[in-house]
Amino acid sequence: MFLYADVILPLALGDSLTYAIPSALQQQLRVGCRVLVPLGRSKVYSGIVSRLHNDAPQADITLKDVLEVVDETPLMLPEGLQLWEWMAHYYMCTRGEVMKAALPAGLKLESETGVLRNPDFSELEVLSEREQQLFNLLSDTKAKKLPQLERAMGLRSVHTLLRHLLDHRAAIVEERVDRLFRPRLQTFVRLAENIRTQEDINSALDTLHRAQKQESCLLAYLDASGMGAALTLGDMCLVREVSKRELLNMEGASEAALQALRQRGILETYSVEVGRLRTASTLPEGLRKELSDEQRRALGEIRDSFKHHDCCLLHGVTSSGKTEVYIHLIEETIARGEQVLYLLPEIALTTQIMQRLGRIFGDKLGVYHSKFPDAERVELWRRQISDTPYPIILGARSAIFLPFQRLGLVIVDEEHETSYKQQEPAPRYSARDTAIVLARKCGAKVLLGTATPSIETYHNVEAGRYGLVEMHHRYGDVEMPEVFIEDVRELRRKRLMPTPFSPRLRDAIREALRNKEQVILFQNRRGYSPVLECRTCGWSPRCSRCDVPLTFHQRDNKLVCHYCGATYELPRQCPQCEGTELRDMGYGTEKIEAAVHAVFPEARTARMDLDTTRSRSGYEDILNSFASGDTDILIGTQMVTKGLDFERVRLVGIMNADQLLNKPDFRAHERAYQMMSQVAGRAGRRGKRGVVVLQTQQAELEVVRQVVESNYAQLYREEIQQRKDFCYPPFSRLIHIVLRHHDEHLCHEAAKYFAALIAPHFTADQLLGPDRPAVGRIQSLHLRHLLLKVPTTMPPSGVRRTLLAARSALLAHPSFRRILIHFDVDPV
């Protein structure tokens, strides 16, 4: 019998906290279950039990008791808790932060402060007028939350008034735990317990001969439930359940009549928990695609690779049919009774892949990502720890946290994508790398699929750590698209480009529209124009909280900061010189869309960026419209580059490749190659060869030629040599250290102090900074960056100890206690 429990709370605490287990709870408490525990004077949280033990605390420490066991069966499996521990260690955060990211909100219970009136208090004269006003708003039976009281009082804060009420014992603070997840219930109707025979029913009808509406309602129920046939055949199993909604939709039934029948004791209602999760219909086996010779060869080579490697890279050109290979591997895995995790980098991709996998696997497929309501995610989580879990989970980054009882295969599609990296908040993890660790802990295999592998992944292949299978041809022997380079610098010099479209791109769009074909235009910047500028003095509006220019959004006629989301009114004149001529500089997706309307008025267009896909159905609506042919031209950001499959797309236009090529990042050419190759791969995926028009001012760059030739091997050779020369990944691990504070001088001094603390442990080549980043202030906080290049030979645990000790020393310094500091391991 265990006496103590270590509990992980969803807070940035250094470690788990230990609580005593009351004797009444000792039998039901298990590792992985949620428990309610007190924290501080009055807060109550739910946490996950990570360990049960009998290690008594020190003599001078009194432990608080576990208050309640929330789950009858563990919510977390051992492999999941091990993964949390690995993530906290590798990404230098706490297990509480991992828990906060991992669990849906409905599974995290927190107490909320509520205030009650003390019914025994009667000395109103000791209270001020405002305090009496607050006292009168309180109830002695139902607690009110602080925001409610602040709204009712018309004050920004009632803390001072409330403190006076508490001092006079006029109010009581209550901590209440809200269970955010509530099962979806559906109301059904049935005959009352005392009505079971034909005679009982006839007797009930006799009592209703003067209440025609009630009689009609009862007859409608008898008809819908099939009660007559069940009584005739003597088999009550034939009685069908009738929902209240179904009954009220029938002729002769009404809410008032049903209520009256309930009061008479003839009908009764009851609630049943119904699932929120949707399932798909499977496709007949005869309509499935046949594997090509190359797909069969790749499938066999993957099986062979898994005999020697736990992880294999499937390097296949765009439209080579990698998804069909995945499907056959999934079928083999679930036939063995194992589960599959299929990861995608973008929620947008789940729409098409969900439909495709749904037609194959039907109700065996579960889908999990952040666009689903929290209640659906909670329900899916609960199903995964039940006796009937989904064999296949399709999801974005957060799906790696789901519990898997028999994980056998992990597929990471488009493994090179930066979207797999979580940026804010902690844990700042890579879903691809974490999935590989999860698979290792579960004894599963990993398949990484892409047409443009990351340099690090391909280096692991060359080092023999991963297997490699290649697919060099498109399915059906369709040719790779023909890529044309348009030097827009020269075209603009000759005044041949008055619109965003070069002459070749303009003509190609017209031809595609004439032939009833579709077009994708890729512009990796949303909004109308990234910069507004005064033509007279060059002034440009900037965010008051961030050091960035504001982006003009024409649809809302607003200026928007893409870092903090703040919006501003469009200025009518320049505040610097009072000039009234403000010109927009550069192109965003809105401006490209407006140009398409102007140049090709007959085209039906759609725009796919963050602004148009905020709703849950935003992605699906846009993609379904494009897939059905209701849209001719799709304009989008990087969302349109990733794995979308449309058979009528003949032309892809890359509007401005220089946005990708000119980033101050050692990965700039790798990322540019990947993004341009991926979006080019959307063209000509069926039958006729596709066309790609790539517009750039740097046509002479080697990476542009590599995109034209689809020459990944040459890109890899050049990039890996540069990485080796300058000791960048995969020849080192990068750790980005970020400090933030409202005072710029204090932030800079703290960064120098931190650099001095860790400098003795690293060489001058390994520690870079501190520097002010290109965007030096975000959300009113000034930033300073340091970059660590950690040699792969240096033990990660030692580096972690050094950095965490330095952070503790920094925050212990009286001047730097309020500095915000975090570590971003393997930044992108």
Side-chain angles (χ1 to χ4, degrees):
M1 201 71 65
F2 295 109
L3 302 177
Y4 307 105
D6 291 346
V7 180
I8 305 170
L9 298 180
L11 303 167
L13 300 174
D15 203 352
S16 55
L17 301 180
T18 302
Y19 290 85
I21 307 173
S23 56
L25 301 180
Q26 288 176 354
Q27 293 285 354
Q28 51 184 303
L29 198 55
R30 296 163 63 185
V31 171
C33 285
R34 283 179 304 164
V35 289
L36 291 181
V37 293
L39 184 67
R41 291 185 177 181
S42 57
K43 282 283 186 182
V44 176
Y45 285 91
S46 70
I48 296 288
V49 176
S50 62
R51 177 173 169 249
L52 297 172
H53 58 90
N54 290 320
D55 301 337
Q58 297 177 13
D60 57 339
I61 294 178
T62 303
L63 297 181
K64 294 182 178 181
D65 285 350
V66 172
L67 302 178
E68 181 183 334
V69 179
V70 179
D71 304 302
E72 294 181 3
T73 57
L75 191 73
M76 289 294 301
L77 302 179
E79 295 82 3
L81 290 173
Q82 291 169 21
L83 185 71
W84 287 10
E85 188 169 358
W86 176 86
M87 291 180 71
H89 187 271
Y90 185 82
Y91 292 108
M92 286 194 276
C93 60
T94 66
R95 284 189 292 174
E97 289 172 307
V98 179
M99 174 186 172
K100 195 166 186 176
L103 295 183
L107 295 178
K108 292 176 292 201
L109 312 179
E110 289 186 19
S111 64
E112 293 188 44
T113 300
V115 185
L116 290 163
R117 179 194 297 171
N118 184 353
D120 298 327
F121 179 78
S122 58
E123 303 171 12
L124 287 176
E125 63 275 5
V126 303
L127 302 179
S128 68
E129 184 179 344
R130 297 289 272 172
E131 290 165 1
Q132 287 186 32
Q133 185 181 351
L134 178 60
F135 178 81
N136 291 333
L137 289 173
L138 300 179
S139 163
D140 56 7
T141 57
K142 185 177 181 181
K144 293 195 175 180
K145 298 175 187 175
L146 297 190
Q148 291 177 277
L149 297 173
E150 287 163 354
R151 285 194 297 271
M153 294 284 291
L155 298 174
R156 295 186 63 180
S157 172
V158 294
H159 285 83
T160 302
L161 295 175
L162 179 60
R163 189 175 69 250
H164 291 162
L165 292 185
L166 294 173
D167 290 343
H168 290 295
R169 298 184 180 179
I172 304 168
V173 170
E174 176 197 71
E175 288 293 329
R176 180 173 57 87
V177 176
D178 277 344
R179 285 167 168 76
L180 301 178
F181 172 75
R182 291 175 176 83
R184 176 180 284 179
L185 301 176
Q186 188 170 357
T187 303
F188 286 82
V189 181
R190 64 188 174 197
L191 289 172
E193 193 68 31
N194 60 326
I195 300 179
R196 283 291 174 267
T197 65
Q198 187 66 55
E199 289 74 19
D200 295 335
I201 294 172
N202 292 337
S203 176
L205 287 169
D206 288 341
T207 65
L208 300 175
H209 67 279
R210 290 186 178 179
Q212 292 185 354
K213 291 183 178 180
Q214 295 176 38
E215 183 182 38
S216 298
C217 186
L218 178 57
L219 291 172
Y221 166 76
L222 295 172
D223 183 47
S225 64
M227 181 63 72
L231 290 172
T232 300
L233 297 173
D235 186 359
M236 297 306 288
C237 293
L238 298 175
V239 176
R240 183 175 156 271
E241 284 194 310
V242 179
S243 70
K244 179 181 175 182
R245 177 182 295 179
E246 180 186 356
L247 177 61
L248 295 180
N249 285 334
M250 296 180 67
E251 187 176 353
S254 67
E255 180 74 52
L258 175 60
Q259 181 65 20
L261 289 170
R262 290 178 59 203
Q263 291 173 353
R264 286 177 179 266
I266 297 173
L267 289 180
E268 62 184 22
T269 58
Y270 62 100
S271 297
V272 174
E273 182 177 343
V274 294
R276 296 174 171 88
L277 306 177
R278 297 168 292 178
T279 58
S281 300
T282 55
L283 194 70
E285 187 71 27
L287 298 179
R288 292 277 303 279
K289 277 185 179 179
E290 285 289 325
L291 290 183
S292 67
D293 291 341
E294 186 168 49
Q295 286 173 321
R296 278 193 291 271
R297 174 192 58 76
L299 186 60
E301 289 182 7
I302 292 169
R303 294 191 194 108
D304 293 339
S305 176
F306 281 156
K307 295 176 182 177
H308 309 287
H309 300 93
D310 291 331
C311 186
C312 177
L313 170 65
L314 177 57
H315 182 193
V317 299
T318 55
S319 195
S320 57
K322 295 186 290 294
T323 305
E324 202 64 35
V325 175
Y326 300 157
I327 288 170
H328 280 73
L329 285 170
I330 292 170
E331 288 178 323
E332 294 173 6
T333 304
I334 63 176
R336 296 193 298 267
E338 297 173 339
Q339 293 173 288
V340 177
L341 171 60
Y342 190 139
L343 287 177
L344 291 166
E346 288 277 1
I347 293 170
L349 298 186
T350 59
T351 300
Q352 277 201 334
I353 298 296
M354 180 175 66
Q355 292 170 353
R356 189 165 174 182
L357 295 184
R359 289 194 293 268
I360 305 298
F361 299 107
D363 59 5
K364 295 185 178 71
L365 175 69
V367 183
Y368 188 88
H369 57 64
S370 60
K371 283 288 182 180
F372 282 164
D374 189 72
E376 287 190 24
R377 284 183 282 155
V378 170
E379 199 164 305
L380 193 144
W381 188 293
R382 290 184 178 282
R383 175 157 178 178
Q384 291 310 99
I385 57 175
S386 73
D387 295 333
T388 56
Y390 282 115
I392 311 159
I393 291 294
L394 171 68
R397 198 168 52 215
S398 57
I400 62 166
F401 293 115
L402 283 169
F404 292 93
Q405 301 181 42
R406 301 179 300 276
L407 187 63
L409 176 66
V410 176
I411 296 171
V412 184
D413 200 12
E414 310 294 355
E415 65 83 21
H416 65 279
E417 276 293 342
T418 57
S419 304
Y420 281 123
K421 172 72 173 178
Q422 162 84 1
Q423 304 292 345
E424 292 288 345
R428 297 168 179 86
Y429 66 98
S430 163
R432 177 196 63 192
D433 299 344
T434 306
I436 293 172
V437 174
L438 172 66
R440 190 182 306 137
K441 293 184 181 300
C442 295
K445 301 295 184 182
V446 180
L447 182 63
L448 308 176
T450 179
T452 53
S454 68
I455 299 298
E456 291 87 343
T457 295
Y458 209 82
H459 179 72
N460 279 327
V461 169
E462 289 205 326
R465 288 187 282 271
Y466 295 173
L468 173 65
V469 175
E470 296 180 300
M471 297 172 69
H472 300 288
H473 305 288
R474 285 184 153 194
Y475 185 83
D477 291 325
V478 175
E479 288 186 273
M480 293 294 288
E482 188 175 11
V483 183
F484 296 98
I485 305 300
E486 288 286 84
D487 188 342
V488 298
R489 180 173 50 188
E490 184 66 15
L491 290 169
R492 285 175 181 149
R493 188 184 68 82
K494 294 179 178 178
R495 300 184 183 277
L496 295 175
M497 201 172 160
T499 69
F501 314 109
S502 64
R504 187 191 294 273
L505 179 56
R506 187 179 62 241
D507 294 343
I509 293 174
R510 283 207 176 99
E511 183 183 354
L513 294 175
R514 190 165 52 247
N515 295 333
K516 307 297 183 186
E517 295 166 334
Q518 291 175 303
V519 179
I520 290 178
L521 298 179
F522 168 56
Q523 175 71 10
N524 201 29
R525 183 168 282 168
R526 64 189 174 98
Y528 187 84
S529 174
V531 177
L532 278 185
E533 183 181 271
C534 174
R535 190 182 289 272
T536 305
C537 69
W539 171 84
S540 179
R542 302 178 73 85
C543 179
S544 62
R545 303 172 64 202
C546 310
D547 284 343
V548 290
L550 296 171
T551 300
F552 174 45
H553 285 245
Q554 188 182 57
R555 185 180 67 173
D556 301 323
N557 201 36
K558 298 278 188 184
L559 295 173
V560 180
C561 175
H562 285 180
Y563 278 79
C564 70
T567 59
Y568 301 80
E569 294 297 325
L570 194 66
R572 296 187 177 183
Q573 63 181 28
C574 172
Q576 195 161 281
C577 71
E578 298 186 352
T580 57
E581 196 171 353
L582 298 176
R583 59 181 177 179
D584 51 86
M585 311 282 286
Y587 294 92
T589 49
E590 271 192 20
K591 198 171 186 179
I592 297 297
E593 185 180 31
V596 168
H597 288 313
V599 180
F600 311 102
E602 73 280 11
R604 299 165 298 174
T605 65
R607 179 163 50 89
M608 187 169 167
D609 56 26
L610 186 62
D611 297 323
T612 61
T613 56
R614 293 186 188 276
S615 68
R616 175 182 175 182
S617 61
Y619 294 102
E620 296 181 19
D621 294 343
I622 293 169
L623 294 180
N624 289 339
S625 175
F626 196 62
S628 64
D630 295 334
T631 302
D632 300 316
I633 300 177
L634 178 62
I635 302 136
T637 56
Q638 61 183 351
M639 293 178 183
V640 302
T641 70
K642 302 171 184 179
L644 300 177
D645 186 8
F646 300 106
E647 62 181 55
R648 288 192 289 270
V649 175
R650 170 100 196 298
L651 172 66
V652 166
I654 300 174
M655 305 303 297
N656 186 1
D658 304 296
Q659 285 180 348
L660 309 173
L661 296 167
N662 294 339
K663 291 184 177 179
D665 181 4
F666 73 95
R667 290 191 177 99
H669 281 192
E670 177 195 4
R671 300 290 189 230
Y673 177 91
Q674 290 167 341
M675 203 165 288
M676 289 190 286
S677 296
Q678 289 287 341
V679 72
R682 303 312 109 204
R685 297 172 72 90
R686 307 283 191 280
K688 195 174 177 181
R689 188 181 188 187
V691 173
V692 177
V693 178
L694 192 160
Q695 298 184 164
T696 178
Q697 298 186 56
Q698 303 173 81
E700 72 283 355
L701 285 180
E702 193 66 23
V703 68
V704 174
R705 187 179 60 80
Q706 290 161 357
V707 171
V708 174
E709 298 173 355
S710 296
N711 194 343
Y712 176 82
Q714 184 180 354
L715 171 87
Y716 174 78
R717 286 194 299 271
E718 292 180 1
E719 287 291 312
I720 202 70
Q721 187 58 50
Q722 289 184 21
R723 305 280 182 93
K724 189 173 184 179
D725 292 343
F726 295 99
C727 196
Y728 276 108
F731 302 101
S732 67
R733 288 174 56 232
L734 298 185
I735 301 178
H736 202 191
I737 304 164
V738 182
L739 294 92
R740 294 174 291 171
H741 196 269
H742 290 284
D743 185 317
E744 183 173 16
H745 175 72
L746 191 65
C747 186
H748 183 67
E749 291 301 311
K752 289 199 300 183
Y753 183 79
F754 187 86
L757 289 172
I758 64 173
H761 303 276
F762 304 96
T763 67
D765 292 336
Q766 294 168 354
L767 176 60
L768 307 179
D771 296 312
R772 185 182 189 278
V775 180
R777 185 169 59 104
I778 297 176
Q779 295 184 347
S780 301
L781 294 174
H782 294 275
L783 279 73
R784 288 297 182 270
H785 287 178
L786 295 97
L787 183 66
L788 265 183
K789 292 181 181 180
V790 181
T792 53
T793 54
M794 190 176 287
S797 56
V799 175
R800 172 187 166 86
R801 281 195 301 271
T802 299
L803 293 180
L804 294 183
R807 182 173 68 178
S808 298
L810 174 79
L811 298 179
H813 192 287
S815 301
F816 305 138
R817 285 180 300 176
R818 297 190 180 278
I819 290 287
L820 301 175
I821 178 171
H822 73 254
F823 308 110
D824 187 359
V825 181
D826 301 335
V828 296

